[in-house]
Every structure is written in C-alpha cells, then in structure tokens.
Amino acid sequence: MKTFECSCGQLLFFENTSCVACGAKLGFLPDVFNVAPLEADPEGGFRSQIPEHGGRRYRLCKNYEVENACNWMVPVEKEAEYCDSCALTEVIPNIAMAENRRHWVVLETAKRRLVYTLLKLRLPVADKEADPEGGLAFEFKADSRLDPEQTDPVLTGHAQGTITINLGEADDVFRETMRQAMHEPYRTLLGHFRHEIGHYYWDRLILKTAWLNPFRQMFGDDTKDYAEALKTHYETGAPANWPDRFISAYASSHAWEDWAESWAHYLHLYDTLETAREFGFIGKRVKLKETRPEASNTSGVFDEMMDAWLDLTIALNSLNRSLGKPDAYPFILAVPVVNKLRFVHQVVNAAPTNAPPPEPVAKSTGAPGLAPMPG
C-alpha cells in the first residue's frame, strides 16, 4: 500500500476521510491511486486540491455520502452511484442492527484494500452488470449468531464469481476463536478476501487457458473430488510433512486450495513490500524502494521480491519478539512453496488487462531467493 500526503504536508492513510492536521475532507481517487484533499466545486461535486491531478471532478460514492462507510470517489463522467469497490457488493446484512452495521463497514474497508491491490496489479476487475459471464460479486451475510432472523448457515467461500463472507469474520473474538479451533497460525479478514479472490482468478486466468497444464504440474490434480478431499482433510488432518511443500496445512487439502493459499500469500507479499518501500525501509541486501513487483514478470524481479521479503519478515519478527509478542509472520517458505509463488507472479503479470503497460525498469541483478525463509 502506498503512503499518501495532504496538501498541508500531513501523512495520510488509505482509510482516512479527513486530515487530522488541517481538517480537509479527503477521498481516494481510483483513477490516480491517491488519497487527496478535496474542495467543493461550484459546478457540483468535488475537485482534488493536488495540482498534479489536473482539476479532475468527482462525486462521493453513495456509501461515503449516505452511510459514511467508504472514502472512495467516483469520476463525474462515470454514470455510477457507487465506487469501483462498493459496486461489487450485491448483498449486505441488515445494517439497521448496529452490530451488523459495524461489521459491514469493517468488511467493506478490507475489500477496498483488496480492490486497490487488484487494480494496482492491473488484473481484470468488473462487476456482474458490466461482465455477466466473468464478473465479480460479494455477498456479506449474517448467520443466526448476529441476526436471529437468519436461520441458514453462512459459509465463507466462492462460487461462479460470487464471494460470500460470513459477517462474523469481521468480529475479532469470533475470528480468533475460529483461528484456534482450526489450528491456524494466521487468520485475518483481509486474508479471507485474498484467499477467496484466488478461487475467482483461478476460474478467470487458469481454467480453459494455456496455464492449466503447468498449473497441474505445480499444484496437482484439480479434477480430484473437492468435497471428498475437504472431508478427508478435516477428518485426518494434513500430512506430517506438509511444511515441505505447502504454505499452510489447509493448502494440502486440494489443488484449488493450494492455489488460493498461494495466491493470497502473493498478495500479502506484494502489498506489504509496497508499504515497506513507501516508508523507505532498507533490507540488508536489497533496497525495498527499488523493488517494483508490479513492473515485470521476469525471474529476476521475482527473486528481488523474495530477497526483500526475507529481509523484511526477519525484521518484522525481530521487532515483535522485542515487544514480547508472537511473530508477525509465522511462516517458513520451503523451495516448492516459493516456486508456487513464482508461478502466481507469472500468471498475474500475464493476465489480460485494458490498463496501460507498466513503466520500464532497470534490468534485474537476479538475486537468488529460493532458500527457505525462517519465520
């Protein structure tokens, strides 16, 4: 994630709606990937106060204007009430219930961070109205624990372009309880979004493409009975040697889950490295601000990413241990796992897109980066 700055010089965060220093109203401008201070325009709507934005005009996303649950803007030339992120949501819970509303806002906040990353990676993102066959939709549903009127169980998952998220995942206590019950070292709301979107992009980028056979060589047989594989996983658990080949125990259950877990991890890596680069963090061997994972699909660029990731995660874990807290990054990346991440990197960079081509970058030095990563 980038860092942003108000015209007064104050550091801004992705979720901010007002500047704590000067009080300016803020909005995220998806066409220029910037959080900017806004000024009311005499012709209606708002303009960015940043001169480099060329006086573009915007209006507030309806969820910003009415619900105060968003901070994204909509260019005035677009005939849309909702921003590019909120437009993807087709079902929301009963937000007349205060707790449901709080959880819904948390879900939308996490989804905007996901959509930001997808757009930065120039991946195809469209709602089902724009693309009925291949479009994306989200459904946020409460089960009986949060809404007594709901009797059906709500399972987080993906089916035919629709991602369903159980509203309870936005509750810290519920999510931590599930993390411990499932014996997971790491469980976050953003992680759920990144995992489920991985299933969506498997359908878009792998199935019925030239990537399918290389995928099967790397991840295994996707035609294996999925329901039976999950049943076996939950009954018997992961194989004892799963860390030698998989990013998580759950990834060992089926090729689709191995892909989704690897995809999610790649997004973790990409977004965190961008944040580290924006703050000017420097590793022992690689200057993170010079690592541009979005710029190329060459092996050298991926190796630079992994080398930087090794430095950064060791630093993160060391800082946490100094504070007496568990490791921020509780993973060890074995060579087969790194190769799966490399595969995801290649697929992402070869994805069809209507966005302009990336800027040229200097030739990579091709740092190695295949060694297992200590957590």
Side-chain angles (χ1 to χ4, degrees):
M1 178 62 66
K2 286 177 58 178
T3 55
F4 309 98
E5 187 175 300
C6 184
S7 53
C8 74
Q10 174 68 30
L11 178 69
L12 304 175
F13 295 98
F14 182 60
E15 296 82 8
N16 286 157
T17 56
S18 62
C19 177
V20 296
C22 70
K25 188 177 187 66
L26 303 173
F28 176 73
L29 315 181
D31 52 341
V32 291
F33 287 97
N34 207 342
V35 174
L38 306 170
E39 57 186 2
D41 186 80
E43 300 178 27
F46 297 86
R47 291 184 186 270
S48 169
Q49 294 183 21
I50 299 178
E52 290 81 3
H53 294 166
R56 291 181 175 90
R57 293 176 57 220
Y58 301 87
R59 61 178 173 275
L60 304 178
C61 170
K62 187 174 181 179
N63 280 341
Y64 191 174
E65 183 177 27
V66 177
E67 299 293 344
N68 195 28
C70 180
N71 70 335
W72 281 31
M73 308 297 291
V74 181
V76 293
E77 59 270 18
K78 288 187 65 174
E79 296 182 1
E81 289 186 306
Y82 294 96
C83 69
D84 293 339
S85 178
C86 289
L88 298 172
T89 304
E90 292 192 346
V91 175
I92 66 173
N94 178 9
I95 60 174
M97 302 174 66
E99 187 173 11
N100 281 0
R101 189 184 191 284
R102 286 195 297 271
H103 293 332
W104 168 63
V105 171
V106 172
L107 286 169
E108 291 289 359
T109 300
K111 176 161 68 71
R112 285 193 296 277
R113 186 171 283 264
L114 169 73
V115 173
Y116 168 93
T117 303
L118 300 179
L119 294 175
K120 281 297 296 291
L121 287 169
R122 292 179 285 275
L123 290 164
V125 180
D127 59 35
K128 287 184 175 291
E129 182 177 352
D131 184 357
E133 293 297 321
L136 174 65
F138 290 86
E139 296 183 350
F140 301 145
K141 297 181 177 180
D143 57 22
S144 58
R145 188 183 69 87
L146 291 174
D147 188 345
E149 294 184 2
Q150 305 300 320
T151 57
D152 295 332
V154 178
L155 301 178
T156 294
H158 166 266
Q160 298 179 330
T162 297
I163 292 174
T164 301
I165 303 289
N166 186 324
L167 195 67
E169 291 293 344
D171 179 81
D172 292 341
V173 174
F174 174 86
R175 191 173 59 254
E176 177 60 17
T177 300
M178 291 298 297
R179 187 190 70 79
Q180 294 188 33
M182 303 295 287
H183 306 289
E184 297 173 343
Y186 186 85
R187 186 184 182 98
T188 68
L189 184 54
L190 183 55
H192 278 308
F193 278 101
R194 288 171 171 167
H195 175 99
E196 298 305 337
I197 204 73
H199 289 299
Y200 168 76
Y201 282 113
W202 190 88
D203 288 348
R204 291 291 305 270
L205 306 179
I206 302 295
L207 183 64
K208 298 181 181 179
T209 75
W211 288 108
L212 185 56
N213 284 333
F215 166 85
R216 288 171 174 167
Q217 294 172 14
M218 180 71 66
F219 292 87
D221 183 8
D222 57 286
T223 66
K224 182 180 178 182
D225 188 289
Y226 180 67
E228 186 62 29
L230 291 189
K231 180 175 180 290
T232 300
H233 173 76
Y234 287 124
E235 288 178 350
T236 64
N241 66 342
W242 70 260
D244 296 339
R245 296 180 291 134
F246 302 98
I247 186 62
S248 69
Y250 187 56
S252 69
S253 63
H254 191 276
W256 286 344
E257 297 304 340
D258 194 8
W259 161 265
E261 288 285 88
S262 300
W263 175 280
H265 213 85
Y266 181 81
L267 296 191
H268 288 328
L269 184 154
Y270 175 89
D271 195 34
T272 306
L273 281 178
E274 183 183 43
T275 304
R277 186 175 65 249
E278 287 287 311
F279 278 99
F281 293 165
I282 298 177
K284 291 181 179 179
R285 293 179 299 279
V286 178
K287 293 184 178 180
L288 302 186
K289 62 183 179 181
E290 295 177 0
T291 304
R292 302 187 60 243
E294 75 275 22
S296 172
N297 66 348
T298 64
S299 294
V301 169
F302 178 79
D303 290 341
E304 287 183 0
M305 289 175 64
M306 297 310 300
D307 201 37
W309 189 239
L310 173 62
D311 286 346
L312 180 62
T313 54
I314 289 175
L316 286 173
N317 287 344
S318 297
L319 288 169
N320 263 33
R321 293 175 189 184
S322 295
L323 292 169
K325 296 181 68 65
D327 285 350
Y329 185 73
F331 299 94
I332 296 177
L333 303 188
V335 171
V337 174
V338 173
N339 287 333
K340 291 172 184 177
L341 294 173
R342 184 190 302 276
F343 184 89
V344 174
H345 177 77
Q346 292 169 340
V347 171
V348 164
N349 281 275
T353 177
N354 294 321
E359 299 173 6
V361 292
K363 184 177 179 181
S364 165
T365 57
L370 284 179
M373 291 187 176

mmCIF file of all heavy atoms in Angstrom, residues 13 48 50 65 73 75 77 113 143 165 172-173 187 204-205 236 250 262 264 269 312 318 323 328-329 347 358:
data_model
loop_
_atom_site.group_PDB
_atom_site.id
_atom_site.type_symbol
_atom_site.label_atom_id
_atom_site.label_comp_id
_atom_site.label_asym_id
_atom_site.label_seq_id
_atom_site.Cartn_x
_atom_site.Cartn_y
_atom_site.Cartn_z
ATOM 1 N N PHE A 13 -3.511 8.156 5.581
ATOM 2 C CA PHE A 13 -3.654 6.722 5.423
ATOM 3 C C PHE A 13 -4.796 6.411 4.463
ATOM 4 O O PHE A 13 -5.684 7.227 4.236
ATOM 5 C CB PHE A 13 -3.880 6.050 6.785
ATOM 6 C CG PHE A 13 -2.700 6.173 7.702
ATOM 7 C CD1 PHE A 13 -2.656 7.153 8.678
ATOM 8 C CD2 PHE A 13 -1.615 5.321 7.567
ATOM 9 C CE1 PHE A 13 -1.562 7.279 9.514
ATOM 10 C CE2 PHE A 13 -0.513 5.444 8.393
ATOM 11 C CZ PHE A 13 -0.482 6.419 9.367
ATOM 12 N N SER A 48 -9.921 17.600 -6.618
ATOM 13 C CA SER A 48 -8.731 17.389 -5.811
ATOM 14 C C SER A 48 -7.973 18.703 -5.665
ATOM 15 O O SER A 48 -7.881 19.490 -6.611
ATOM 16 C CB SER A 48 -7.830 16.344 -6.466
ATOM 17 O OG SER A 48 -6.559 16.314 -5.845
ATOM 18 N N ILE A 50 -4.816 18.752 -5.125
ATOM 19 C CA ILE A 50 -3.454 18.491 -5.574
ATOM 20 C C ILE A 50 -3.331 18.902 -7.041
ATOM 21 O O ILE A 50 -4.027 18.344 -7.902
ATOM 22 C CB ILE A 50 -3.088 17.012 -5.390
ATOM 23 C CG1 ILE A 50 -3.167 16.652 -3.898
ATOM 24 C CG2 ILE A 50 -1.708 16.707 -5.945
ATOM 25 C CD1 ILE A 50 -2.870 15.201 -3.593
ATOM 26 N N GLU A 65 -21.284 9.183 0.939
ATOM 27 C CA GLU A 65 -22.205 10.292 1.136
ATOM 28 C C GLU A 65 -23.332 9.965 2.109
ATOM 29 O O GLU A 65 -23.676 10.782 2.970
ATOM 30 C CB GLU A 65 -22.804 10.703 -0.207
ATOM 31 C CG GLU A 65 -23.735 11.899 -0.147
ATOM 32 C CD GLU A 65 -24.225 12.295 -1.517
ATOM 33 O OE1 GLU A 65 -24.288 11.421 -2.415
ATOM 34 O OE2 GLU A 65 -24.556 13.477 -1.703
ATOM 35 N N MET A 73 -13.990 7.953 -4.283
ATOM 36 C CA MET A 73 -14.684 8.908 -5.132
ATOM 37 C C MET A 73 -15.023 8.268 -6.482
ATOM 38 O O MET A 73 -14.404 7.299 -6.899
ATOM 39 C CB MET A 73 -13.810 10.144 -5.350
ATOM 40 C CG MET A 73 -13.272 10.782 -4.063
ATOM 41 S SD MET A 73 -14.571 11.405 -2.995
ATOM 42 C CE MET A 73 -15.169 12.799 -3.964
ATOM 43 N N PRO A 75 -15.410 9.387 -10.512
ATOM 44 C CA PRO A 75 -15.261 10.450 -11.514
ATOM 45 C C PRO A 75 -16.635 10.857 -12.061
ATOM 46 O O PRO A 75 -17.487 9.999 -12.313
ATOM 47 C CB PRO A 75 -14.388 9.795 -12.594
ATOM 48 C CG PRO A 75 -13.630 8.724 -11.873
ATOM 49 C CD PRO A 75 -14.578 8.201 -10.834
ATOM 50 N N GLU A 77 -17.672 11.740 -14.829
ATOM 51 C CA GLU A 77 -18.061 11.245 -16.151
ATOM 52 C C GLU A 77 -18.612 9.814 -16.097
ATOM 53 O O GLU A 77 -19.209 9.336 -17.068
ATOM 54 C CB GLU A 77 -16.882 11.299 -17.127
ATOM 55 C CG GLU A 77 -15.654 10.509 -16.718
ATOM 56 C CD GLU A 77 -14.671 11.323 -15.891
ATOM 57 O OE1 GLU A 77 -15.085 12.376 -15.352
ATOM 58 O OE2 GLU A 77 -13.511 10.903 -15.791
ATOM 59 N N ARG A 113 -9.184 -2.417 0.313
ATOM 60 C CA ARG A 113 -7.739 -2.679 0.246
ATOM 61 C C ARG A 113 -7.447 -3.786 -0.763
ATOM 62 O O ARG A 113 -6.476 -3.718 -1.517
ATOM 63 C CB ARG A 113 -7.188 -3.033 1.631
ATOM 64 C CG ARG A 113 -5.679 -3.191 1.684
ATOM 65 C CD ARG A 113 -5.183 -3.324 3.103
ATOM 66 N NE ARG A 113 -5.162 -2.045 3.789
ATOM 67 C CZ ARG A 113 -4.080 -1.268 3.893
ATOM 68 N NH1 ARG A 113 -2.943 -1.647 3.336
ATOM 69 N NH2 ARG A 113 -4.142 -0.131 4.550
ATOM 70 N N ASP A 143 -25.161 -14.780 10.040
ATOM 71 C CA ASP A 143 -25.857 -16.001 10.434
ATOM 72 C C ASP A 143 -26.685 -15.724 11.682
ATOM 73 O O ASP A 143 -26.813 -14.574 12.124
ATOM 74 C CB ASP A 143 -24.875 -17.150 10.636
ATOM 75 C CG ASP A 143 -23.797 -16.835 11.675
ATOM 76 O OD1 ASP A 143 -24.022 -15.951 12.521
ATOM 77 O OD2 ASP A 143 -22.729 -17.475 11.629
ATOM 78 N N ILE A 165 -18.926 -13.845 2.300
ATOM 79 C CA ILE A 165 -18.155 -13.717 3.539
ATOM 80 C C ILE A 165 -19.130 -13.717 4.716
ATOM 81 O O ILE A 165 -20.085 -12.930 4.743
ATOM 82 C CB ILE A 165 -17.321 -12.422 3.577
ATOM 83 C CG1 ILE A 165 -16.368 -12.344 2.369
ATOM 84 C CG2 ILE A 165 -16.537 -12.331 4.893
ATOM 85 C CD1 ILE A 165 -15.220 -13.300 2.398
ATOM 86 N N ASP A 172 -13.568 -9.665 15.956
ATOM 87 C CA ASP A 172 -12.249 -10.150 16.381
ATOM 88 C C ASP A 172 -12.339 -11.407 17.237
ATOM 89 O O ASP A 172 -11.533 -12.330 17.097
ATOM 90 C CB ASP A 172 -11.504 -9.051 17.147
ATOM 91 C CG ASP A 172 -11.118 -7.878 16.260
ATOM 92 O OD1 ASP A 172 -11.092 -8.052 15.031
ATOM 93 O OD2 ASP A 172 -10.861 -6.778 16.802
ATOM 94 N N VAL A 173 -13.316 -11.451 18.158
ATOM 95 C CA VAL A 173 -13.441 -12.601 19.062
ATOM 96 C C VAL A 173 -13.825 -13.847 18.275
ATOM 97 O O VAL A 173 -13.238 -14.926 18.453
ATOM 98 C CB VAL A 173 -14.477 -12.307 20.166
ATOM 99 C CG1 VAL A 173 -14.709 -13.556 21.016
ATOM 100 C CG2 VAL A 173 -14.015 -11.149 21.039
ATOM 101 N N ARG A 187 -4.897 -15.834 10.723
ATOM 102 C CA ARG A 187 -6.259 -15.729 10.182
ATOM 103 C C ARG A 187 -6.677 -14.267 10.291
ATOM 104 O O ARG A 187 -6.818 -13.733 11.388
ATOM 105 C CB ARG A 187 -7.229 -16.614 10.959
ATOM 106 C CG ARG A 187 -8.658 -16.673 10.358
ATOM 107 C CD ARG A 187 -9.577 -17.491 11.257
ATOM 108 N NE ARG A 187 -10.919 -17.621 10.727
ATOM 109 C CZ ARG A 187 -11.381 -18.672 10.045
ATOM 110 N NH1 ARG A 187 -10.577 -19.699 9.804
ATOM 111 N NH2 ARG A 187 -12.632 -18.705 9.611
ATOM 112 N N ARG A 204 -10.792 -17.439 -13.863
ATOM 113 C CA ARG A 204 -10.565 -16.450 -14.917
ATOM 114 C C ARG A 204 -9.246 -16.647 -15.652
ATOM 115 O O ARG A 204 -9.172 -16.444 -16.872
ATOM 116 C CB ARG A 204 -10.575 -15.020 -14.326
ATOM 117 C CG ARG A 204 -11.909 -14.517 -13.828
ATOM 118 C CD ARG A 204 -12.903 -14.280 -14.972
ATOM 119 N NE ARG A 204 -12.386 -13.383 -16.005
ATOM 120 C CZ ARG A 204 -12.550 -12.060 -15.988
ATOM 121 N NH1 ARG A 204 -13.192 -11.477 -14.994
ATOM 122 N NH2 ARG A 204 -12.086 -11.321 -16.981
ATOM 123 N N LEU A 205 -8.192 -17.019 -14.938
ATOM 124 C CA LEU A 205 -6.847 -16.986 -15.501
ATOM 125 C C LEU A 205 -6.220 -18.350 -15.748
ATOM 126 O O LEU A 205 -5.237 -18.442 -16.495
ATOM 127 C CB LEU A 205 -5.924 -16.172 -14.579
ATOM 128 C CG LEU A 205 -6.382 -14.753 -14.234
ATOM 129 C CD1 LEU A 205 -5.380 -14.099 -13.290
ATOM 130 C CD2 LEU A 205 -6.568 -13.918 -15.490
ATOM 131 N N THR A 236 -8.818 -36.283 8.910
ATOM 132 C CA THR A 236 -7.496 -36.854 9.193
ATOM 133 C C THR A 236 -6.393 -35.820 9.356
ATOM 134 O O THR A 236 -5.305 -36.146 9.834
ATOM 135 C CB THR A 236 -7.096 -37.829 8.073
ATOM 136 O OG1 THR A 236 -6.960 -37.095 6.837
ATOM 137 C CG2 THR A 236 -8.169 -38.899 7.892
ATOM 138 N N TYR A 250 -3.918 -26.211 5.348
ATOM 139 C CA TYR A 250 -5.132 -26.241 4.536
ATOM 140 C C TYR A 250 -4.803 -26.354 3.043
ATOM 141 O O TYR A 250 -5.541 -26.965 2.282
ATOM 142 C CB TYR A 250 -5.961 -24.989 4.811
ATOM 143 C CG TYR A 250 -7.317 -24.982 4.152
ATOM 144 C CD1 TYR A 250 -8.224 -26.007 4.371
ATOM 145 C CD2 TYR A 250 -7.703 -23.940 3.315
ATOM 146 C CE1 TYR A 250 -9.479 -26.009 3.771
ATOM 147 C CE2 TYR A 250 -8.949 -23.920 2.713
ATOM 148 C CZ TYR A 250 -9.839 -24.954 2.944
ATOM 149 O OH TYR A 250 -11.075 -24.949 2.353
ATOM 150 N N SER A 262 -1.703 -19.912 -1.983
ATOM 151 C CA SER A 262 -0.504 -19.323 -2.591
ATOM 152 C C SER A 262 -0.819 -17.944 -3.160
ATOM 153 O O SER A 262 -0.028 -17.002 -3.033
ATOM 154 C CB SER A 262 0.042 -20.245 -3.682
ATOM 155 O OG SER A 262 0.397 -21.501 -3.156
ATOM 156 N N ALA A 264 -3.205 -15.871 -2.168
ATOM 157 C CA ALA A 264 -3.381 -14.948 -1.046
ATOM 158 C C ALA A 264 -2.033 -14.514 -0.487
ATOM 159 O O ALA A 264 -1.825 -13.342 -0.160
ATOM 160 C CB ALA A 264 -4.220 -15.601 0.050
ATOM 161 N N LEU A 269 2.410 -10.566 0.252
ATOM 162 C CA LEU A 269 3.789 -10.183 -0.046
ATOM 163 C C LEU A 269 3.837 -8.880 -0.850
ATOM 164 O O LEU A 269 4.577 -7.945 -0.512
ATOM 165 C CB LEU A 269 4.440 -11.340 -0.805
ATOM 166 C CG LEU A 269 5.900 -11.312 -1.189
ATOM 167 C CD1 LEU A 269 6.409 -12.758 -1.307
ATOM 168 C CD2 LEU A 269 6.126 -10.626 -2.533
ATOM 169 N N LEU A 312 12.716 -8.355 5.125
ATOM 170 C CA LEU A 312 11.642 -7.639 5.810
ATOM 171 C C LEU A 312 10.981 -8.498 6.879
ATOM 172 O O LEU A 312 10.729 -8.030 7.993
ATOM 173 C CB LEU A 312 10.606 -7.167 4.792
ATOM 174 C CG LEU A 312 9.413 -6.393 5.366
ATOM 175 C CD1 LEU A 312 9.865 -5.114 6.049
ATOM 176 C CD2 LEU A 312 8.395 -6.088 4.279
ATOM 177 N N SER A 318 11.621 -9.937 14.376
ATOM 178 C CA SER A 318 12.551 -9.489 15.411
ATOM 179 C C SER A 318 11.961 -8.343 16.220
ATOM 180 O O SER A 318 12.101 -8.283 17.453
ATOM 181 C CB SER A 318 13.878 -9.059 14.776
ATOM 182 O OG SER A 318 14.515 -10.152 14.134
ATOM 183 N N LEU A 323 9.121 -6.807 21.443
ATOM 184 C CA LEU A 323 7.949 -6.322 22.178
ATOM 185 C C LEU A 323 7.278 -7.429 22.988
ATOM 186 O O LEU A 323 6.255 -7.202 23.634
ATOM 187 C CB LEU A 323 6.924 -5.724 21.197
ATOM 188 C CG LEU A 323 7.345 -4.430 20.499
ATOM 189 C CD1 LEU A 323 6.370 -4.093 19.377
ATOM 190 C CD2 LEU A 323 7.410 -3.276 21.496
ATOM 191 N N ALA A 328 5.066 -11.730 13.753
ATOM 192 C CA ALA A 328 4.103 -11.135 12.829
ATOM 193 C C ALA A 328 3.949 -11.991 11.579
ATOM 194 O O ALA A 328 2.886 -12.005 10.951
ATOM 195 C CB ALA A 328 4.557 -9.725 12.438
ATOM 196 N N TYR A 329 4.993 -12.730 11.229
ATOM 197 C CA TYR A 329 4.989 -13.558 10.018
ATOM 198 C C TYR A 329 5.348 -14.990 10.396
ATOM 199 O O TYR A 329 6.518 -15.378 10.399
ATOM 200 C CB TYR A 329 5.992 -12.999 9.005
ATOM 201 C CG TYR A 329 5.972 -13.716 7.674
ATOM 202 C CD1 TYR A 329 4.921 -13.528 6.782
ATOM 203 C CD2 TYR A 329 6.995 -14.589 7.312
ATOM 204 C CE1 TYR A 329 4.885 -14.192 5.566
ATOM 205 C CE2 TYR A 329 6.977 -15.251 6.096
ATOM 206 C CZ TYR A 329 5.919 -15.053 5.227
ATOM 207 O OH TYR A 329 5.888 -15.717 4.024
ATOM 208 N N VAL A 347 1.560 -15.703 -13.617
ATOM 209 C CA VAL A 347 0.168 -15.637 -14.067
ATOM 210 C C VAL A 347 -0.376 -14.217 -13.932
ATOM 211 O O VAL A 347 -1.040 -13.701 -14.835
ATOM 212 C CB VAL A 347 -0.702 -16.634 -13.278
ATOM 213 C CG1 VAL A 347 -2.186 -16.425 -13.573
ATOM 214 C CG2 VAL A 347 -0.301 -18.074 -13.595
ATOM 215 N N PRO A 358 3.053 -1.226 -18.068
ATOM 216 C CA PRO A 358 3.861 -0.693 -16.969
ATOM 217 C C PRO A 358 5.042 0.111 -17.477
ATOM 218 O O PRO A 358 5.469 -0.022 -18.623
ATOM 219 C CB PRO A 358 4.330 -1.956 -16.248
ATOM 220 C CG PRO A 358 4.327 -3.015 -17.301
ATOM 221 C CD PRO A 358 3.166 -2.681 -18.196
#
